[in-house]
Amino acid sequence: MALFNLTKEQLFNVTNLSPESITVGAVERNMCFSVMYATAGNANLQIGCNSFLLTDNTILLLFQNDLVKFAEVSDSFSAKLVLLRSMAFQEAFARLEQYIITIVSKERIYTFNENSSSNRFINNLLDNLLILSEKSSGDYVYDQVRCHVRSLLTCLFDNIEKNSESASIRFNRIEEHFCQFIKLLAEHCRQSREVVYYAELMNITPKYLNYICNYVARIKCKAIIDRYAISQIKNDLMMTDKTIQEISYDFNFANQSFFGSYFKKFMRVSPRAFRTLGTSDNHEKYQFDDKF
């Protein structure tokens, strides 16, 4: 069975890795967002052309479509592997200050002191995710998972800021522009969903802003804007008692009809139908469709 893949029914999963569960030398494509937390022994993991050494209390982040190979694994190696469906990761990511992801993914691997508060916090998070993964269903499981993933990523970000060794992380000019764009998107997504709007705020051309997004995130600028806007609209539909008309007005749509068409284009269901689905587990059947 593939290590880095989920079944069609799974939103996420947590498994314990041991040398017996790993095929050394085999190359596998990571099909989702993954977090590997080494708890004993060591392993050499290759992601594309880069090698990473996993030792005690080390966290490694893996992203969708990474090519992964265990080059070496010690007999005492053990780790916890968290797999999260990409759509759920994107929603957890959208509720963060999004530039955190750019910073965290630049480093990829983090080592914590065994007795540090951060290490204890991460262990508790992973234990809670393991408990949640054993639930076959239940209200708000999806929201709990996203909260735990957000907490994990913000913990890593906090570690970067406090750890002087991470001062070596530097961004080139394009990455700095991307971080600026993401901050502006978080501030202004309710005012506009147009590339030209953000390009004007940054005093650059829309063509260059698209280049920036493709360079850093490998996704078009408009797609990033739409993903973020839809995640915020879904949050308002699920977590507030605002009317559909009020949400439409908040996001600066010309009218409720345009709002409904925009939402349905990506979610394949109307805002009203999405709201009346009930539990957030039921929302999982409606995933963001970015074929447009």
Side-chain angles (χ1 to χ4, degrees):
M1 182 177 177
L3 285 181
F4 300 99
N5 202 0
L6 294 166
T7 66
K8 188 175 180 179
E9 295 77 22
Q10 288 177 311
L11 164 68
F12 80 108
N13 191 35
V14 182
T15 56
N16 292 313
L17 298 184
S18 64
E20 292 73 25
S21 61
I22 296 169
T23 302
V24 175
V27 178
E28 185 177 343
R29 185 178 296 277
N30 181 43
M31 301 305 294
C32 47
F33 172 69
S34 307
V35 178
M36 190 177 299
Y37 178 58
T39 53
N42 58 76
N44 186 290
L45 195 68
Q46 293 183 354
I47 302 176
C49 298
N50 300 312
S51 294
F52 300 91
L53 179 63
L54 278 71
T55 57
D56 293 6
N57 307 312
T58 297
I59 282 185
L60 179 68
L61 303 181
L62 302 97
F63 297 90
Q64 188 173 16
N65 293 322
D66 279 342
L67 292 177
V68 185
K69 179 177 76 173
F70 281 94
E72 295 179 73
V73 177
S74 70
D75 292 339
S76 59
F77 178 72
S78 65
K80 296 177 182 177
L81 178 64
V82 180
L83 305 178
L84 183 67
R85 192 170 296 283
S86 293
M87 186 272 292
F89 168 68
Q90 288 157 3
E91 292 193 357
F93 155 65
R95 291 186 186 183
L96 289 169
E97 290 287 346
Q98 294 194 17
Y99 69 93
I100 288 177
I101 302 300
T102 304
I103 296 171
V104 169
S105 62
K106 195 173 181 73
E107 184 87 335
R108 277 210 188 233
I109 193 164
Y110 303 86
T111 301
F112 296 88
N113 294 327
E114 183 175 0
N115 297 319
S116 69
S117 58
S118 293
N119 194 51
R120 293 195 300 272
F121 179 73
I122 288 171
N123 267 298
N124 288 334
L125 279 177
L126 295 176
D127 286 344
N128 289 341
L129 282 170
L130 179 60
I131 293 169
L132 289 170
S133 71
E134 294 169 352
K135 289 187 176 183
S136 57
S137 63
D139 293 353
Y140 309 114
V141 168
Y142 178 53
D143 286 326
Q144 291 177 66
V145 170
R146 287 189 303 186
C147 285
H148 279 68
V149 172
R150 288 197 298 275
S151 296
L152 175 60
L153 294 174
T154 50
C155 180
L156 295 181
F157 179 72
D158 183 60
N159 183 66
I160 290 174
E161 289 200 315
K162 292 179 178 178
N163 188 347
S164 59
E165 292 181 0
S166 292
S168 61
I169 299 177
R170 292 289 183 267
F171 295 101
N172 62 37
R173 187 62 175 163
I174 294 176
E175 291 167 332
E176 289 175 354
H177 276 314
F178 180 76
C179 290
Q180 181 188 4
F181 161 63
I182 292 302
K183 290 180 182 180
L184 289 170
L185 177 59
E187 294 172 6
H188 298 277
C189 80
R190 293 176 185 263
Q191 282 75 50
S192 178
R193 293 163 300 283
E194 299 301 325
V195 176
V196 65
Y197 176 87
Y198 295 95
E200 288 176 354
L201 289 177
M202 297 173 66
N203 293 316
I204 60 176
T205 67
K207 183 178 180 180
Y208 185 55
L209 181 53
N210 262 312
Y211 172 77
I212 290 168
C213 293
N214 277 311
Y215 177 89
V216 177
R218 296 178 182 150
I219 185 172
K220 291 181 179 179
C221 181
K222 179 60 174 167
I224 294 176
I225 294 170
D226 288 332
R227 284 182 182 276
Y228 188 78
I230 289 294
S231 73
Q232 299 305 301
I233 291 169
K234 288 168 64 178
N235 186 55
D236 280 9
L237 289 169
M238 293 165 61
M239 302 298 185
T240 75
D241 58 1
K242 295 178 183 177
T243 66
I244 304 297
Q245 180 63 49
E246 287 172 333
I247 296 174
S248 171
Y249 178 79
D250 284 348
F251 281 86
N252 203 25
F253 284 91
N255 54 55
Q256 189 172 329
S257 176
F258 279 115
F259 171 62
S261 297
Y262 177 82
F263 188 83
K264 194 170 184 178
K265 174 182 177 180
F266 296 107
M267 298 305 298
R268 307 190 305 277
V269 65
S270 71
R272 193 175 304 280
F274 184 86
R275 168 171 271 177
T276 56
L277 284 173
T279 70
S280 50
D281 288 337
N282 290 332
H283 291 139
E284 282 308 293
K285 68 181 74 173
Y286 297 104
Q287 299 184 18
F288 187 96
D289 189 342
D290 58 0
K291 293 183 293 184
F292 297 92

